[in-house]
Amino acid sequence: LAAIAPGGRAEPRQAFDIAVVLIAVAAVLLVWAVLRLAGPRPWDAALVAFSPVLLTASLVSLDLVAVSLAVLGLLAFSRGRPWVAGVLVGLATTTRPLAVLVLLALVLVALRAGRWRHVGRSLLAAAVAWSAVNVPVLLASRETWTAYWSGLWNPTVGYGSVWLLPQLGGQAVSGTAARWLFVLGAVVVVALLALFTLTTAYRPRIPVVVLLLVVGILVISPVVPVQASLWVLPFAALAVPRWRDLLIWAGAEVLYDTVTWFYIYGQSEPNRAAPAWFYGTVLVLRVLAMAWLAYRAVRLGRRPWHDPVRSPSSARGLGRDDPTAGDLEDAPDALLIRFV
């Protein structure tokens, strides 16, 4: 950002202004992409455009840019452009590794459908895009590149994580313990999602799988900052397009965001702080709200006749299998596991 500021150097205010412009553009593109992905229900884009989460979380970081790239990548995939999709998701992954969950969801759905051509191209393009950004950085500054990934592998338990709850009571969880708990939990989450994708009577829509992956990974992560809600928002709007469900979750997020800043403020002004027990309570409430979204997504995935996207009665008689699936839409199942 400093490089494109007047004179090639940016004061903090200038860098912030440039960031706000990028975030605003990303927000517009995100809403447009959700509108195009919503298929017979374009009005569901309002679930993103009018979400209070955009107000409380979008200016904290540049996460919204990465979220926008990931959703635009899913839009490109739905339009039969796997190379473009892979490049966009790959670029999103260079900013936030969480974007790789979009690719993982494509793999799980492709595994059931038995169609790999477009998904394979997307994976290859994503790897090339990720390498095109990371390799020059690695060559230019090996220490900086290594430090970033080392920080991810050796985390410090931070705000928003369920592993922070013991610390609020005086019993801290070490970074090493949180790391291995996360690794073990991630394996369990992916295994459960693979089982869900391959055993439901009807193949789940891609946004449903992405939402469940994102929620599952966030719940077990060592750090879940306020801006992590931006990764939930578009996929929740596509997977669970009901105002009630999204407002329940968004209300918990807004409350959590507000209390978090008061809790952090208390580090310098103890007399004006949100007490630790209150912060912990709101943190649990946030996790429960994400779990509610996951429950609703699973319910719609298992009962497609209640899914507003798939139910003909909800879309002028024009329900669709999955508007985001591209060549995977309406594909017959190649792998379906049934438990007798």
Side-chain angles (χ1 to χ4, degrees):
L1 295 180
I4 63 176
R9 299 182 60 186
E11 299 297 329
R13 176 60 182 271
Q14 290 177 303
F16 178 77
D17 291 344
I18 296 171
V20 169
V21 173
L22 292 177
I23 291 168
V25 172
V28 173
L29 291 175
L30 177 63
V31 173
W32 176 78
V34 172
L35 183 148
R36 298 296 300 274
L37 283 168
R41 295 174 55 89
W43 51 85
D44 286 339
L47 293 166
V48 176
F50 297 141
S51 176
V53 170
L54 286 179
L55 297 177
T56 57
S58 61
L59 295 182
V60 178
S61 70
L62 290 172
D63 272 68
L64 194 63
V65 176
V67 173
S68 178
L69 287 172
V71 178
L72 286 169
L74 186 57
L75 175 62
F77 185 85
S78 73
R79 296 298 186 267
R81 298 178 179 177
W83 296 109
V84 177
V87 169
L88 291 172
V89 178
L91 292 176
T93 306
T94 64
T95 304
R96 288 292 182 270
L98 199 63
V100 78
L101 296 180
V102 175
L103 297 175
L104 179 57
L106 294 178
V107 169
L108 292 178
V109 175
L111 182 63
R112 175 158 176 172
R115 292 185 179 180
W116 290 99
R117 186 180 63 172
H118 282 195
V119 172
R121 291 175 179 177
S122 294
L123 293 175
L124 178 59
V128 171
W130 185 90
S131 301
V133 173
N134 278 268
V135 170
V137 175
L138 173 62
L139 295 177
S141 179
R142 184 183 182 88
E143 292 182 359
T144 301
W145 189 88
T146 304
Y148 171 76
W149 293 102
S150 177
L152 292 180
W153 181 245
N154 299 288
T156 300
V157 177
Y159 297 111
S161 173
V162 294
W163 312 122
L164 185 67
L165 292 173
Q167 181 176 320
L168 299 177
Q171 300 292 329
V173 175
S174 68
T176 300
R179 177 184 68 206
W180 290 112
L181 286 169
F182 171 74
V183 171
L184 178 62
V187 172
V188 172
V189 167
V190 173
L192 289 176
L193 260 295
L195 190 64
F196 170 75
T197 305
L198 297 176
T199 59
T200 53
Y202 297 90
R203 187 169 60 245
R205 293 189 291 115
I206 290 174
V208 170
V209 181
V210 177
L211 175 64
L212 292 174
L213 284 170
V214 170
V215 168
I217 294 300
L218 289 180
V219 167
I220 61 174
S221 292
V223 181
V224 189
V226 296
Q227 62 268 30
S229 59
L230 297 172
W231 287 95
V232 178
L233 177 59
F235 301 111
L238 291 168
V240 191
R242 297 184 186 278
W243 281 99
R244 181 195 65 178
D245 297 325
L246 264 73
L247 287 177
I248 289 174
W249 164 73
E253 285 289 345
V254 170
L255 177 61
Y256 171 79
D257 294 357
T258 305
V259 172
T260 296
W261 300 126
F262 276 106
Y263 182 69
I264 295 174
Y265 183 53
Q267 308 302 317
S268 57
E269 294 288 343
N271 295 330
R272 300 182 180 182
W277 67 266
F278 185 58
Y279 172 74
T281 301
V282 175
L283 191 159
V284 172
L285 181 63
R286 182 198 195 194
V287 172
L288 291 176
M290 286 194 288
W292 167 256
L293 280 182
Y295 164 75
R296 293 292 296 160
V298 169
R299 185 178 176 85
L300 293 180
R302 295 181 66 85
R303 301 181 179 183
W305 53 88
H306 290 160
D307 189 333
V309 176
R310 285 179 165 171
S311 173
S313 62
S314 68
R316 307 176 201 166
L318 298 175
R320 289 181 57 180
D321 173 49
D322 186 356
T324 67
D327 74 326
L328 301 178
E329 186 174 16
D330 295 315
D333 291 326
L335 176 60
L336 175 60
I337 300 175
R338 296 185 184 275
F339 294 101
V340 179

